[in-house]
């Protein structure tokens, strides 16, 4: 009688060796990339991205915290949201993203998503633009890596009329600080600028070209919230469901604020 082949089982030593070797190769390949940061906790990721939240498309590659033998690409979506998606590593050495996109190397994955939108963001066109390099001895601040003090001279110090110290090459951070101040000014100006309807611009601007306004003209609906599609110049009392879902996903803060304003406006009519 013909013997059936055994089912694939991770407990088989050969399969375990294959998976282990694939994991080692994945790690070695990832470590060659300057934007690979290894294993990071959620708080560490947030802390790393904090100076880059104004740069949409800033990204890193790191180990997945939820799946063994997998990587995670984290990329800035907007000022308040970092988007994460997984790169799974198969025993045959290939990589898969989203269950349907296969790649031979990590570099090919990065090159692909530099041109194409990352999974789930095809409409908003989110691509990998600004790699955040990991800190290495060569990228640390020179003040933190200054050369050591020279060895003491053989003769007693009081016999010498000179003292020798190493001279660190200090980097001028003025341009960086000025750029950060400029970005902060632009951000807070936008937060404080108001629309003619009385809403702040940051809360008025939603997603997919939609804006939220407060009615200031209609006698029966004065103070009520309505929405404007800037692409068609059409207005509506309610946000289209698919747009509202996208808003809730991209910016929960704006979605909650929108709901609060709608509830406040509705309570005035009662």
């Amino acid at each position: 009688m013909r013997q059936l082949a055994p089912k694939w089982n991770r407990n088989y030593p050969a399969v375990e060796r294959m998976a282990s070797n694939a994991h080692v190769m994945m790690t070695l390949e990832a470590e060659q990339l300057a934007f690979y940061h290894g294993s990071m906790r959620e708080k560490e990721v947030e802390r790393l991205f904090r100076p880059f939240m104004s740069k949409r498309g800033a990204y890193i590659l790191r180990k997945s915290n939820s799946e063994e033998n997998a990587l995670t690409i984290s990329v800035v979506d907007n000022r308040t949201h970092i988007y994460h998606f997984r790169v799974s590593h198969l025993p045959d050495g290939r990589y898969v993203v989203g269950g349907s996109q296969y790649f031979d190397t990590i570099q090919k994955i990065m090159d692909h998503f530099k041109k194409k939108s990352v999974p789930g963001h095809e409409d908003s066109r989110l691509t990998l633009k600004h790699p955040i390099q990991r800190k290495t001895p060569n990228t640390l601040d020179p003040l933190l890596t200054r050369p050591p003090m020279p060895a003491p001279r053989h003769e007693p110090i009081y016999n010498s009329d000179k003292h020798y110290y190493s001279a660190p090459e200090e980097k001028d951070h003025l341009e960086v600080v000025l750029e950060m101040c400029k970005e902060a000014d632009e951000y807070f100006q936008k937060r404080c600028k108001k629309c003619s309807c009385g809403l702040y611009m940051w809360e008025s601007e939603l997603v997919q070209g939609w804006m939220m306004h407060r009615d200031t003209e209609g006698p029966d609906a004065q103070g009520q919230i309505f929405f404007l599609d800037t692409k068609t110049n059409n207005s509506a009392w309610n946000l289209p469901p698919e747009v509202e879902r996208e808003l809730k996903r991209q910016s929960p803060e704006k979605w909650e604020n929108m709901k609060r304003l709608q509830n406040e406006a509705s309570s005035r009519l009662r």
Side-chain angles (χ1 to χ4, degrees):
M1 181 180 294
R2 185 178 178 182
Q3 186 176 3
L4 296 177
K7 293 183 179 180
W8 191 85
N9 191 322
R10 288 189 61 88
N11 293 325
Y12 288 170
V15 174
E16 286 188 346
R17 286 197 299 271
M18 184 185 298
S20 176
N21 292 339
H23 175 65
V24 171
M25 295 304 295
M26 176 191 73
T27 303
L28 291 175
E29 183 181 354
E31 287 178 346
Q32 301 303 311
L33 304 172
F35 47 84
Y36 175 68
H37 290 255
S39 179
M40 299 182 72
R41 295 190 296 271
E42 182 179 353
K43 293 295 183 182
E44 292 175 321
V45 175
E46 293 176 357
R47 192 180 308 118
L48 174 66
F49 271 97
R50 199 168 295 157
F52 302 95
M53 293 304 292
S54 62
K55 288 188 175 182
R56 191 170 193 260
Y59 67 92
I60 65 168
L61 178 70
R62 59 185 177 87
K63 283 186 178 180
S64 172
N65 292 330
S66 58
E67 180 181 320
E68 189 179 3
N69 297 343
L71 300 169
T72 295
I73 297 176
S74 302
V75 54
V76 172
D77 184 13
N78 55 52
R79 287 183 178 273
T80 60
H81 182 242
I82 304 171
Y83 179 67
H84 312 276
F85 65 98
R86 186 181 304 154
V87 177
S88 298
H89 196 210
L90 304 176
D92 63 5
R94 292 183 301 162
Y95 300 89
V96 59
V97 177
S100 60
Q101 299 185 74
Y102 293 86
F103 302 89
D104 294 329
T105 66
I106 298 174
Q107 188 60 58
K108 287 184 178 180
I109 298 173
M110 313 311 292
D111 293 340
H112 176 80
F113 290 115
K114 287 177 183 178
K115 301 175 182 177
K116 303 289 185 180
S117 295
V118 301
H121 279 71
E122 289 77 11
D123 294 337
S124 59
R125 184 64 183 169
L126 176 60
T127 58
L128 306 181
K129 293 182 179 179
H130 312 290
I132 302 175
Q133 296 191 0
R134 65 178 178 269
K135 290 289 186 181
T136 65
N138 292 329
T139 60
L140 292 175
D141 193 301
L143 292 177
L144 301 178
T145 57
R146 64 177 62 186
M149 295 288 289
R153 304 180 67 177
H154 294 295
E155 65 270 18
I157 191 67
Y158 51 80
N159 287 341
S160 173
D161 58 351
K162 292 183 180 179
H163 296 267
Y164 294 91
Y165 298 93
S166 59
E169 297 178 0
E170 298 191 6
K171 182 179 178 181
D172 186 1
H173 295 282
L174 179 59
E175 291 185 3
V176 178
V177 173
L178 290 176
E179 183 63 26
M180 293 176 64
C181 290
K182 181 181 177 181
E183 290 182 1
D185 286 343
E186 292 175 353
Y187 174 68
F188 285 110
Q189 284 176 10
K190 188 174 182 180
R191 293 281 295 192
C192 298
K193 186 178 179 181
K194 281 193 173 183
C195 174
S196 58
C197 71
L199 297 180
Y200 287 102
M201 290 302 297
W202 73 266
E203 59 184 352
S204 178
E205 296 174 352
L206 303 178
V207 293
Q208 299 183 11
W210 282 84
M211 296 188 70
M212 176 174 61
H213 294 288
R214 179 180 282 129
D215 190 349
T216 58
E217 299 178 0
D220 297 329
Q222 191 168 10
Q224 294 302 297
I225 298 297
F226 71 95
F227 303 92
L228 176 68
D229 185 353
T230 58
K231 292 178 290 188
T232 62
N233 209 31
N234 292 328
S235 60
W237 289 114
N238 294 302
L239 204 59
E242 65 276 9
V243 178
E244 183 172 344
R245 286 194 296 269
E246 182 67 14
L247 175 65
K248 186 176 181 180
R249 186 184 66 82
Q250 285 194 26
S251 182
E253 177 190 6
K254 285 190 176 183
W255 180 81
E256 292 176 359
N257 183 64
M258 178 191 74
K259 288 298 185 183
R260 178 182 62 81
L261 292 173
Q262 285 181 312
N263 292 334
E264 290 177 357
S266 298
S267 64
R268 296 193 192 101
L269 294 178
R270 296 171 187 167

